Amino acid sequence: MKKTLILAIVAMSTLAACNNQPQQNETQSNNSGKQGSQLIAYIEIDSIMSKYTYWQEVTKLMQQREANIQKTLASKQQALQQAAANFQQGIQQNKYTQQQAQGIQASLQKQAQDADALSQRLGAEYQQQVAEYNQALADSLHHYLESFNKDKKYAMILAKQGDNILYADKGLDITDQIVKGLNKAYKGMKKEDTAKATEEKTDEKK
């Protein structure tokens, strides 16, 4: 596993809202734009990820888990290096018979293989959990926008990230409204989710 693991960035597609037409008396005073008789708005994905309490907690949680993974792997690597150094010293001092030396060498190779397998497993589990959190973020945003749009009746809500939208009037930006609503609806991280950040130590005891 690489020395530093980085949270994957959510790549969200354009978010289409309901197709209801706006009423005739609706204007841009509600921070919306018009495409003919249809209302259009956008949200800044980077702002969602930096201000949404859920994602702040996920980021903190995964940083903690990453630190635990690195600590676990570093401990195993240090123990293996020390065992190898002791073995070499013993060889130089003629402490082992040929059979003993072969047995110790085989044991060290097995430990190295186990350490590599552990690194790959923990890395894969980490990436899988990141993917699950990313999907949960996308799901919560889609779900909230469906509820949000029942009253606003936007024909389309775009996800602005980087330069995927070349130009947009700031009056069309409803990011603050969405962040406020998401945080109000958020009920907090489940205990079983936060427990995953330290599960590597539990695995080592098994």
Side-chain angles (χ1 to χ4, degrees):
M1 185 176 62
K2 294 182 179 180
K3 183 176 181 181
T4 301
L5 296 172
I6 303 174
L7 283 178
I9 297 177
V10 181
M12 293 187 178
S13 60
T14 299
L15 304 174
C18 68
N19 294 321
N20 295 330
Q21 297 296 321
Q23 299 298 320
Q24 292 298 320
N25 61 354
E26 288 182 316
T27 67
Q28 289 195 12
S29 62
N30 62 357
N31 290 329
S32 63
K34 288 189 175 182
Q35 176 69 28
S37 61
Q38 296 180 328
L39 298 175
I40 295 176
Y42 73 88
I43 58 176
E44 293 275 3
I45 296 302
D46 290 344
S47 293
I48 295 292
M49 297 178 72
S50 64
K51 298 178 181 179
Y52 186 13
T53 302
Y54 163 75
W55 197 249
Q56 292 173 345
E57 292 182 359
V58 165
T59 300
K60 182 178 180 180
L61 182 68
M62 296 310 292
Q63 287 173 343
Q64 181 182 357
R65 182 170 189 188
E66 178 184 342
N68 286 342
I69 290 174
Q70 297 298 340
K71 184 177 180 180
T72 296
L73 297 180
S75 177
K76 277 197 164 293
Q77 183 65 24
Q78 184 178 4
L80 183 59
Q81 290 175 348
Q82 184 61 52
N86 292 340
F87 175 62
Q88 289 298 325
Q89 185 178 15
I91 291 293
Q92 294 173 0
Q93 296 174 353
N94 295 319
K95 292 177 61 177
Y96 310 119
T97 64
Q98 182 176 359
Q99 185 176 4
Q100 289 175 330
Q102 290 175 344
I104 295 174
Q105 187 174 23
S107 176
L108 290 174
Q109 291 176 344
K110 178 63 165 58
Q111 291 178 53
Q113 292 172 354
D114 290 345
D116 184 61
L118 177 64
S119 176
Q120 294 183 28
R121 178 175 67 80
L122 294 180
E125 290 175 355
Y126 178 95
Q127 294 298 337
Q128 176 61 33
Q129 191 173 5
V130 168
E132 291 173 358
Y133 282 133
N134 282 342
Q135 186 60 54
L137 173 63
D139 290 344
S140 67
L141 182 55
H142 279 279
H143 178 75
Y144 179 74
L145 287 177
E146 289 179 0
S147 175
F148 172 84
N149 199 52
K150 287 181 180 179
D151 294 329
K152 297 298 181 180
K153 298 182 180 180
Y154 294 117
M156 186 175 292
I157 299 177
L158 305 178
K160 186 176 185 297
Q161 187 174 28
D163 296 327
N164 67 315
I165 297 178
L166 297 181
Y167 172 80
D169 191 308
K170 288 297 293 182
L172 312 181
D173 188 353
I174 59 171
T175 305
D176 289 344
Q177 298 177 56
I178 300 302
V179 169
K180 183 177 180 180
L182 285 169
N183 286 334
K184 184 177 180 179
Y186 180 54
K187 303 303 182 183
M189 188 81 64
K190 296 180 180 179
K191 290 183 178 180
E192 54 265 33
D193 290 332
T194 58
K196 291 181 180 180
T198 56
E199 67 181 3
E200 288 77 26
K201 291 184 179 180
T202 301
D203 287 343
E204 288 303 301
K205 295 178 181 179
K206 293 179 180 179

